[in-house]
Amino acid sequence: MEKILVPYDFSEIASHALKFAVDLCRKNASCGVTVINVIEQPTPDTIKTMGVYDYDPMENIYMSKLIQSIKGKMENLMQTAEFKDIKLEYKIVLGNPFNEISEEIKTQGIELVVMGTSGATGAEEFFVGSNAERMVRYSKCPVITVAKPYDVDKVNKIVFASNFSDASGSFVNHVKNLQDAFDAKLYIVKINTPSSFTTTRHDTEVFKTFAEEHQLTNYEFQSYNFNNEEDGIIAYAEDIEADMIALGTRQRKGIGHFFSGSIAEDIVNHAKVPVWTFGLDVK
């Protein structure tokens, strides 16, 4: 892992993500961290709530001052003593946060995004979402979300939740790379729910085949009964005092996402530990 990207808005939560990324980067001498700040800039074709965009030339002056202010803050951040021992750089771009971060991942060969998330509850979670949730769902590289300060050196137990039927070899290799990056033990869990119940004997046989096929090492497996997958994964992680949760995502759009939601997004919003996610269908 040599290229880590951290979306950064100078918030406390973003600072937690940067610290996590920097500490992880220290485990690899060739690793570097890029901090990206995306300024959302309205354009003349932007449609406001009332359906009309009122272009104001003074916005150019405001944006210029804003960019200079952010540049000054970024330069100060680069000079922070605790970051002197790693390769750290920054970018300031204008546009849509998700689009610009996605473009950076694509053009710069980013291998991991580390970003802060404050979580969400109630109507905010159900209707609005967040940039972090969108990255979790659509990112073309793995994403780690953090909600509070977390010591990288204490990530020793990683919960890997799977049903084993849709985890490709490529995806499992990413999980193994994650395990290697933290030198951690995998706690592999299959959540058994009333609507998709399978016996422990069945799950154990399926897992044995899965583990042999992907040459897994340093792991434990458990079939864990719970009423739904989201809460089951979090409960299992809490039961074993896990330090991170890892799981695959699938892209859901429109009305399907509205009603079904996303297991990964729900866990990102509610987990007490960092969450690693990557698309099951990303090539």
Side-chain angles (χ1 to χ4, degrees):
M1 190 180 302
E2 298 184 355
K3 293 185 178 182
I4 301 177
L5 183 68
V6 180
Y8 197 79
D9 60 2
F10 303 98
S11 66
E12 183 178 11
I13 293 171
S15 296
H16 299 332
L18 177 57
K19 178 66 163 54
F20 189 94
V22 166
D23 288 346
L24 178 58
C25 200
R26 287 192 175 104
K27 293 178 174 289
N28 183 349
S30 61
C31 179
V33 175
T34 299
V35 177
I36 186 169
N37 180 277
V38 184
I39 302 172
E40 292 193 74
Q41 182 185 33
T43 59
D45 60 353
T46 300
I47 299 177
K48 289 190 172 182
T49 304
M50 298 302 293
V52 178
Y53 178 84
D54 298 318
Y55 180 69
D56 183 356
M58 291 299 291
E59 282 185 349
N60 290 334
I61 299 175
Y62 168 77
M63 292 300 294
S64 178
K65 290 183 176 179
L66 177 61
I67 292 170
Q68 288 304 312
S69 174
I70 293 175
K71 184 176 180 180
K73 291 180 180 179
M74 282 293 191
E75 291 290 349
N76 289 336
L77 183 67
M78 297 299 109
Q79 299 304 314
T80 303
E82 66 176 309
F83 302 146
K84 289 292 188 179
D85 61 325
I86 70 157
K87 294 184 290 184
L88 184 66
E89 62 179 15
Y90 73 87
K91 289 188 176 181
I92 302 170
V93 296
L94 306 179
N96 173 275
F98 173 77
N99 292 340
E100 297 302 328
I101 294 169
S102 297
E103 183 66 15
E104 187 73 9
I105 292 170
K106 178 181 177 181
T107 60
Q108 300 303 316
I110 299 299
E111 297 167 271
L112 175 68
V113 173
V114 180
M115 63 191 306
T117 177
S118 58
T121 57
E124 179 185 356
E125 176 183 341
F126 197 59
F127 292 108
V128 181
S130 69
N131 287 318
E133 289 175 347
R134 198 173 180 196
M135 288 306 303
V136 163
R137 203 189 323 167
Y138 297 116
S139 176
K140 299 302 182 182
C141 79
V143 176
I144 291 178
T145 53
V146 297
K148 60 182 182 180
Y150 214 88
D151 188 345
V152 165
D153 290 331
K154 292 184 178 179
V155 179
N156 300 312
K157 297 180 178 180
I158 299 177
V159 168
F160 170 37
S162 179
N163 61 13
F164 312 119
S165 64
D166 53 6
S168 67
S170 174
F171 175 82
V172 176
N173 282 337
H174 280 282
V175 174
K176 291 165 69 175
N177 290 339
L178 173 72
Q179 180 184 17
D180 290 342
F182 288 95
D183 192 23
K185 183 174 182 177
L186 284 182
Y187 288 77
I188 305 170
V189 63
K190 196 280 192 171
I191 305 300
N192 236 339
T193 66
S195 61
S196 59
F197 180 80
T198 51
T199 66
T200 300
R201 174 177 290 185
H202 169 273
D203 292 342
T204 301
E205 288 301 317
V206 170
F207 171 72
K208 284 181 179 179
T209 301
F210 180 85
E212 291 173 1
E213 177 184 353
H214 298 289
Q215 300 180 330
L216 300 180
T217 60
N218 192 20
Y219 64 83
E220 288 185 15
F221 167 70
Q222 183 172 349
S223 180
Y224 191 81
N225 298 331
F226 218 82
N227 59 331
N228 63 74
E229 289 181 89
E230 297 92 329
D231 293 340
I233 292 169
I234 291 176
Y236 176 72
E238 291 176 350
D239 284 353
I240 69 165
E241 298 182 337
D243 307 304
M244 180 177 285
I245 296 171
L247 66 161
T249 65
R250 287 207 179 280
Q251 296 182 359
R252 295 181 181 178
K253 300 179 181 180
I255 198 71
H257 174 71
F258 187 77
F259 285 112
S260 300
S262 164
I263 292 175
E265 290 167 44
D266 287 342
I267 291 173
V268 163
N269 278 325
H270 301 116
K272 297 178 182 178
V273 296
V275 180
W276 177 96
T277 55
F278 186 53
L280 290 164
D281 41 14
V282 176
K283 302 300 182 184

